[in-house]
Each structure stands twice: as C-alpha cells, then as structure tokens.
Amino acid sequence: MATDRMPGWVRGLLYTLALLVLWEGVGQLRLVAGGALPPPTAIALRLFADWADYPNHILATIQGASIGFVIGNAIALAAGVLFVLFPVTSRVARGLNVAIYALPPIAISPILVLTLSGMAPRVVLAAIGCYFVTMTATVVGLSQTDARAVDVVKAYGGSKWAVLRLVQWRSALPSILSGLRIAAPNAVLGAILAEFGGGGRWGLGVYLLGSLGRGEPDRLWGIGLMATAIAAFAYLAFAVAANAITGTTQAVTVPSSVAKAADRDRPVWQNATIAAASVALPFGVWMLLIWALGVPAMLAKSPAGLFEYLFLMPNSPVAQERLLAALAQTLPMTLIGMVAGLAMALGLALASQIYPAIVRAFMPIALVTQTMPLVALTPLLVLMLGRGYSLILWVTISVTFFPAFVTMAQGLILVPRAALEVPRAYGAGILTQLRLVSLPASLPYLFAATRLTVPRALLGVMIAEWLATGTGLGNLLNQSRGYLDYGMIWTVAVVSVLISVAFYQIVVVVEHRVLDRLGMASTN
Amino acid sequence: MTKGSGITLDRVSRNFDSRGRRVEALREVSLACPPGSLTALIGPSGCGKSTILRLCLGLDTPSSGSLALNGLSPADATRAGMTGVAFQDAALLPWRSVQANVALPLDVLGHSVSAHASKIAELLDLVGLKGFEKSLPGELSGGMRQRVAIARALVTAPEVLFLDEPFGALDQILRRQMNIELQRIWMETGATTLLVTHGIDEAVFLADRIIVMASRPGRIAKIIDVDLPRPRDRSMFGDPRFHALEREIAEALDGH
Ligand SMILES: Nc1ncnc2c1ncn2[C@@H]1O[C@H](COP(=O)(O)OP(=O)(O)OP(=O)(O)O)[C@@H](O)[C@H]1O
Ligand SMILES: [Mg+2]
C-alpha cells in the first residue's frame, strides 16, 4: 500500500481530514440528534459572522488561564522538588495535594466568585487545575531518574542539590513537559468554569453561558471549538518541546534500578504523626483560608460549622438522608466510570505503540473532549444518549481518560530502547514486546495514571449528574446552589474530597505492595 | 607524588536483606592498597567486587567494619575531589555531549570547566575519541561510551582511582592498547588505583597485587603479588613469568 510510505504525520492528517468530511456529511444531513451536531462549515460560517464578539472574550479567558497557569505551575514545580528532596514533606502534604486535586470546580466556583473579585476566581481555578498534574509529573520525573547517573554524581561527593541540578531536573524534563501539556487545557477549562460562576463581562465562558439559552448549536460549537483551539495550541507547544527533548537523549541502556529514597524504616510513632499531619493539614489550610479571606460565616463553613450543620441542627437528619441517598447513586457510577476510563486509556496507549498514526488522528478528538466545555457538549450528549447511565459513563470517560492516557503513553515512550531490543532479538512481535517489557517497565506510570484518574472520575460523574441526569451528588450540589443552602454546598464539596482521598489512598497501598515486590520505585 | 595511606578496608561486611532473603555480599574483607599502588580485584560474578567500590565511594555503607581513603572517610574523600571512578556500566548522562559528560565531575565539585578545556580535549584524544566531542552518548557504540567513562574518571586528576571493568566492552586489541595507556597514566599520576577486572591477563599486566575473590559469601580467597618490572610493554604478554602468574590466578579462581 502506498500509505505505508507516507510519513506518520501525513497519514495522521489524512485521517483527520477523513473525520472532518464524515462530520460534514453527518451534520449536513442532520443525522445526529436533529441537528445538535452542526456541520463544520456551518460552524465556521457562524464563527465568521460572530467574529466581532470574539477578541475580547478570548483575551479575557487567555488572561485568566495563563496567569493561573504560571502561578499554579510555579507552585507545583517548587512543591514537586521539595517533595522529592525531602520525602517526609510529600507524605505530610499528601492529604492536601489530593484534596486540591479533588476539589470539584463546580462546587467552589460560586464560592470563589462570592469571596474573591475580578480575575481572581478564574486565576485560582486555572491554577488549581494545573497544580496537581504538574506536581505529580515533577515528582514522577525526578524520582524515576536513572540510579546509575545519580551514583556518578554522588561518587564525587555531590549533594542532593548537585544531583538535582546535574541529573534529576534534566531527566525529569520530559515528564514535566508532559505534565504541563495536560495542565494547559486544564487551565483553560478552569478559567472557563470560573467564568460560568459569574462575575465579569468578558470570557468565553461568559459568552457560552449567554448563548446557551438561545438554542444555537452552531454558535455553541464555535465558542467551544475556539476554547479548544486555545488549549490545543498550548498543548501542542509543550508536546513539540517534549519531543525535541526526548528524541536524541533517551537512555540507551536499561536503568537497572531507579534512585530510591530510603524512607521506610521509621518508628511507628513517627509514621503515625506523619499520617495525622497529612490528614490535619487540609483542614488547617481550609480554616486558615476562611480566616484570611474574612468570608462571612454564613457563606463559608468551617469544619466545626459543617459538623454542626450535619449533626446538631434540627434539619440534620434530613440533610444526612439526602447526602446518603446521593452517595448511593454516585459511588457505583464513579467506580464503573473510573475502570472504563482507565481501560480506554490503556487500550489507546498500547494502540499508540502499535498504530501511531491512528492515535495521532484520534488526538484532536481527545483534546476536544478535554476542553470543549462539557456544558456545550452536554446538550448534544443528552440528545444522543438520553439522560441515563450511559451518559454519565461517557462524560466520566471523557474527563478521566485523557490524563491517564498521556501518563501511560509517557511511561511507554520512556521504556529504554535496549530493553525492547532484547525480546526483539528473539523475534518477538510488538505484542510480546509490550507484554514482556513495555507494560512491566511502565508499571509505575500505570499506577500514577490510576491515581490521577480517581478524583476526576468522581468529578465527571458529578458534572453529568448536575447537567443531565438530576441524580446523585452532582444534583444535590446544584439544588443546594439554587436554595442557597451553603451548608449542603460545603458538605458535598468536602464529602467528594474525602471520597477521592480515600480512593486515592487505596490505590497508593496497592501500588506500594506491587512495586515493592517487583523492586521498582513508586512515583508517589 | 602521593600522600596519605592509600585504600584500607578493615573487616568490612555488607549484607543485603531484600524480600526476605539475606545476601552476604561481603564478609569480613580486609585489604590495604598502599599509596600509589595498582591493585586488581578479580573473582566470579556476584562476589562483591562492585560492592567494594561502592563502599569506597561512599555510595553505600558497610554493615560492619570500616574503610578509609588516604585516612579520610569515603564521604570526605569524595567531597574533597580526591577520587575518580569509572563504573562497570558507563552511566553517561544521555542529554550531555561526550565533552560535557567528561566534565561532569568538575560540575559536581564546583571546578571551572573552561579552565579544564584543554585537559578534556587531551583525555578524549587519549581514549581515541577525538572528533566525537559533540556527540551524544546515544550516538556512540558501547565501547566508545566506556572510553568516555574512563576519560571522565581521569578528569579530576584523582589521587585514588576506581575502575570497575573499564575495558569490558572493548575489543582485545583496543583493550591491550588501553592497558598500556592506563599503565602510563597511572605511572605519571601515581594514583592509588583499584581495578576490577574479569581479564586474568589484564590483571597480571597492570597490577602490583591481585586480590582473588570468592563468592557466597563474598570474601578474599588469595592475594598474589606481581613483581614484574615496570614499565611493562607488549612483549610482557609472552613472558614465561607472566604465564606462570596467569596459571596461579586461574587456579585460585577455581578454588585451589
Ligand atoms: N542493592 C542490592 N540489593 C541486594 N543485593 C545486592 C545489591 N547490590 C548487590 N547485591 C548483591 O551483592 C552481591 C555482590 O554484588 P556485586 O555487584 O558487588 O558483584 P560483582 O562482584 O561486581 O559482580 P559482577 O562481576 O557480575 O559485576 C550479589 O550477589 C548481588 O546480588
Ligand atoms: Mg560488578
């Protein structure tokens, strides 16, 4: 076949073009949901007609997203370095880290808009969207450094700092860049979600919200695609940088072991103290923030206030009952969605090793699902899938699979050449190579991906429940916003964080067991 | 021009406990390498040769016993820039050019790299890598990478030099050449050298003293002094005394 000789990107482009043509046909014939999916040409025409509106909205969103991106990532990098240099800090901060990651933006954006002013809510949500991803990528990259290279520096009396400066940061760079790659769309999404919360006249989120009621799918799609284009541009910039860096400098031989921080043999009381500190820290920061921002107690519940709301008030039993009913609906879907998202990510990551071109063609769609605000996609999804469980599942997969995919693909790419050459030398096919070398070698990344997925799965389910199905925690949150029931808003936010942290801890325990047995270092 | 007391190990043991099993990598190893001497370590795979080097470099600490380099603890000696090392595995940084890899110890010790530019060029010439200064490790063959590691070991003009099978990936001819070069460098610098090798001929050719090790537990089986005259040249490989020593080592390795 002639296509075999084309460079990969040409083939990728062809697939993308084929998809666009297909979309055009489907759109023109109004095959999907009675026209909820307009053809690309209609979207383009509408975009052209609306063009005068765009620049201010785009600028506002980019401004919020990029300030948040810079701040969030600066904090994330510093924190990642700190966690690797002093492993105790990472254990103390674990609760806080996971809590930040698991904060449901839908739940906090109204609170942020009420308590902060101007650009601040957008910047904060964009920064929060970046922090965990980049911090994790930094820790993964720094701690997966080749132990032999670390030895060379230490053999000359090099300190932790010297190792960091001369070996670790550079070998972590690909990982950090792949973190920034995911963080970029997250920042855009965070800014847009904050714009939904209200406040401010400009921003693609404001524009989208304003256009939502009018039932003009072509304009919604135009705005969504514009947001996507901004995020895709940021994503691609980091992808190109990462490629340039990993290309020539991949490790030639297999690192026999990764540098490992000896941090296991502590007395029990120390471990207990660390664990307690890890649990206490998020609560401490929570109270500190409320105090520092001077938010009225009616709006901002402290831990004590929340306890009162849930257990001591006359209405408490009702509140508890509503909460438990919602949990019973949300938790099973979260688990299923998480497994489905991970399976899809793994499947795609493996496929990307076997058929790189197909994945390249798929990437734009994957990116759309990341940045195309779910608010814009949901009407379409509802029309296509109804307001049932399959909708929840798809929304959950679409928010979970992407970070998981990027992390797993990263792990697969970083498998050293020489390690793959051993089975290849015995005539192993690509599947055998994947099974014998790539999968085991990238196991730490698989676990890292699972950890990334846990809180997002819950978030996805809640978004779907809020926007479409009217069930579970997401709906409870939405109702409470309507009734200005701040106690319940805070309860849902805190409970969702607690669930995420619990899931996360379970993954961490399994991960340590498995990796210990295999003599590999965790990326945690 | 050597000072200090060379390399000394006093009843050094190192156990590894992993996954419920204990490996005695070294049991009660005592060793004294006088200043300016060249000592060869030879022994079956897994008998603890690399472990001795790692202990000497402060990369690992003994389970019991003590060791010193010129009277200093390994940590102090390495921090003082007294040591040089080439690992069994070249362990080059994949993103640094050949030149920059050789300069790595200078970066670690905070020495000026530009002041050593001519030294680096000289060393690369010595190991036969002139013209590859700007190459990345991924573009070199296994043997070339190992030679970069050797150049890197010499860049700090170390007083104590550790070489872990430095010529393992080289062909026999190049290996002999490098043996002769190493002898010349060693005689010029007077560095106290500990050389791990699997090559019996290499050990006899280079060493003042050969330590034959045995495994499980890792220990010293026999110490053989080599008093062949220096400088030794290519003809030495055909000398009857050379062959006698080779036979003695082979027997010691076989457990006689
Ligand atoms: N980090 C470690 N954890 C567990 N066991 C180890 C570790 N390092 C070394 N060992 C064990 O110690 C023993 C000695 O290892 P060492 O690397 O010193 O052998 P060696 O003599 O250099 O072998 P070779 O000639 O193959 O390089 C081996 O049995 C090895 O399994
Ligand atoms: Mg060894």
Side-chain angles (χ1 to χ4, degrees), chain B residues 146-250:
Chain B
Q146 229 173 6
R147 282 182 274 157
V148 178
I150 294 166
R152 182 176 63 189
L154 297 170
V155 75
T156 56
E159 287 168 46
V160 186
L161 181 60
F162 298 97
L163 302 169
D164 196 347
E165 289 181 47
F167 311 130
L170 304 189
D171 64 90
Q172 187 68 10
I173 295 168
L174 191 56
R175 198 174 168 128
R176 293 243 158 124
Q177 261 173 29
M178 293 300 296
N179 285 168
I180 291 165
E181 284 301 337
L182 178 61
Q183 174 181 246
R184 186 180 64 74
I185 295 163
W186 168 74
M187 289 177 75
E188 274 174 21
T189 61
T192 312
T193 304
L194 192 58
L195 167 76
V196 173
T197 175
H198 279 300
I200 300 180
D201 58 338
E202 184 168 280
V204 176
F205 182 78
L206 284 170
D208 299 317
R209 180 191 271 175
I210 298 168
I211 315 286
V212 182
M213 294 187 63
S215 55
R216 293 187 200 176
R219 61 194 187 278
I220 294 177
K222 191 167 188 186
I223 298 182
I224 296 165
D225 285 308
V226 181
D227 42 15
L228 301 173
R230 301 236 189 223
R232 301 166 188 166
D233 60 19
R234 220 169 276 272
S235 68
M236 186 60 81
F237 288 107
D239 194 293
R241 285 174 295 173
F242 192 92
H243 290 303
L245 281 163
E246 279 187 323
R247 213 170 308 120
E248 192 181 348
I249 294 167

Side-chain angles (χ1 to χ4, degrees), chain A residues 294-311:
Chain A
V295 192
M298 209 273 287
L299 287 184
K301 298 280 181 223
S302 66
L306 210 57
F307 183 81
E308 190 189 350
Y309 173 83
L310 267 183
F311 296 102

